[in-house]
Amino acid sequence: MAAVPGPLPPAEAEALVRALQGSELRDIGGPGWLRQHEYVEKLNMHGILSASEGQEQLLTELLVTHAKIPVLIGELISVEIWKHKIFPVLCRLEDFKPRSTFPIYVVLHHEASIINLLETVFFYKELQKQAEMMEFEISLKALSVLRFITDQVHSLPLSALTRMLNTHNLPCLLVELVEHCPWSCWEAGKLKKFENGTWHVVPPEDHVKMTKLDGQVWLALLNLLLSPECQHKYRFDGFNKSQLLKLRAFLTDVLMDQLPNLVEMQRFLSYLAVTEPAPPKKDLILEQVPVIRDHILKKNSGKWEAIAKHQVKHAFSPTEEELKLQAHRWAQTYSLDMMEALAPDKPRCRVCGAEAAKRCSRCRNEWYCTRACQVQHWQKHKPACNLMAEVSRSVDDL
């Protein structure tokens, strides 16, 4: 069996970081942009593997030293604008008849890759259905990033703190998440919760157990409501006060046993219920506007259809030969060994479900615990194995 891959060598990781560049909206999906996506994916996998070995600081230092965090944020905003401004126009064009929709999926996935890379760095530093699912996962990762930002409220610029508290009213937004909890639902009489990228049925004894996402919301609320910097800037008017007091119904003894800091939250809300906090000081604040997003929107305003037509011709209608070449590059980027090293669960035998240590050497797709199970499954596996082996040979011959 092949050895489990580790993080990239430091020199290679630095070369990938240095190669990261911002891209124009019209170039999204093109050859140069796809190379950037490959770099992001490799750094993403490298970051997760490095963190698992306690070596995560190197990637963080590289991104900071070479000033690539703003580049990643710029790319994140560009793809978000593309998704809302270009993608709908693209789908309406009569001449948009791609041989494969995978290039578009890569663009949609790019947003998830960047937000996951940023989440990894921050954490270890202290066609429609697919898009909807990706949007959900991106939103949950954005919640994690938000919590890490609230950990630093004491050092945030005044304009950023004001936008968080009063322009976007994050405390009330977080109350809505506590109330409606989109990562938890009932289905056929069973409670299901979304964790580690999948929905799981929760056994009855764990119904009141706090998930990681629940913890992120409560920690963000603690940071925003109990820090002196936020209390001096937040408007505790009638509406905000009534929304925040809804949290009292959720602060049960069981919840506070899991997160003892919530006792301070309970005391604060009890005090808030019987008092009228002083209004925030009306200081003159020069609020910082979202420069990157405004720049992209102004630069491309009125050009959405022209950009979509350009991308249909140059990015999303590849020839069969171009698709094969790109498939070969994707196969190198998303190698099976690398993806399995990132998987949180050990592979399971296709026949009996036991933990597996052997894999079909021909197609490298199915896992087995013993040779006996592999032999038993061969007649069912043979057609798929032949097909995958043939595809693999075709790609290797390119």
Side-chain angles (χ1 to χ4, degrees), residues 20 50 82 116 142 244 272 299 311 325 329 333 346 353 360:
L20 293 175
S50 296
W82 180 90
N116 192 74
L244 294 175
L272 182 65
K299 184 174 181 179
Q311 292 180 341
L325 289 171
R329 295 181 65 92
T333 301
K346 296 292 184 182
C360 176

Side-chain angles (χ1 to χ4, degrees), residues 32-45:
W33 184 92
L34 288 171
R35 282 195 295 273
Q36 291 286 311
H37 174 72
E38 291 169 15
Y39 299 158
V40 170
E41 284 290 4
K42 289 178 180 179
L43 288 172
N44 203 1
M45 292 183 278

Side-chain angles (χ1 to χ4, degrees), residues 172-228:
C172 285
L173 176 62
L174 292 168
V175 171
E176 289 290 311
L177 289 177
V178 171
E179 277 195 292
H180 301 291
C181 195
W183 48 87
S184 176
C185 69
W186 286 89
E187 187 176 291
K190 296 182 179 180
L191 179 64
K192 298 180 73 176
K193 294 190 177 183
F194 189 87
E195 283 191 280
N196 299 322
T198 57
W199 288 94
H200 301 278
V201 175
V202 181
E205 63 271 18
D206 290 338
H207 280 190
V208 295
K209 186 177 180 181
M210 182 184 294
T211 66
K212 292 179 182 178
L213 290 165
D214 294 321
Q216 300 283 29
V217 175
W218 283 109
L219 288 171
L221 279 166
L222 282 167
N223 290 333
L224 290 175
L225 294 179
L226 301 189
S227 67

Side-chain angles (χ1 to χ4, degrees), residues 158-159 162 233 280-288:
L158 183 59
S159 61
T162 301
K233 298 300 178 186
K281 295 181 180 179
K282 295 184 178 180
D283 298 328
L284 175 64
I285 297 176
L286 299 177
E287 187 170 322
Q288 194 170 8

Side-chain angles (χ1 to χ4, degrees), residues 120-151:
T120 301
V121 171
F122 287 146
F123 176 79
Y124 287 100
K125 188 177 179 181
E126 239 232 278
L127 280 135
Q128 288 297 335
K129 193 169 184 179
Q130 290 175 323
E132 288 173 6
M133 186 59 189
M134 210 174 296
E135 189 87 5
F136 178 68
E137 294 188 21
I138 290 168
S139 299
L140 298 185
K141 291 184 180 296
L143 172 62
S144 178
V145 173
L146 171 64
R147 200 278 286 179
F148 294 122
I149 292 174
T150 64
D151 286 344

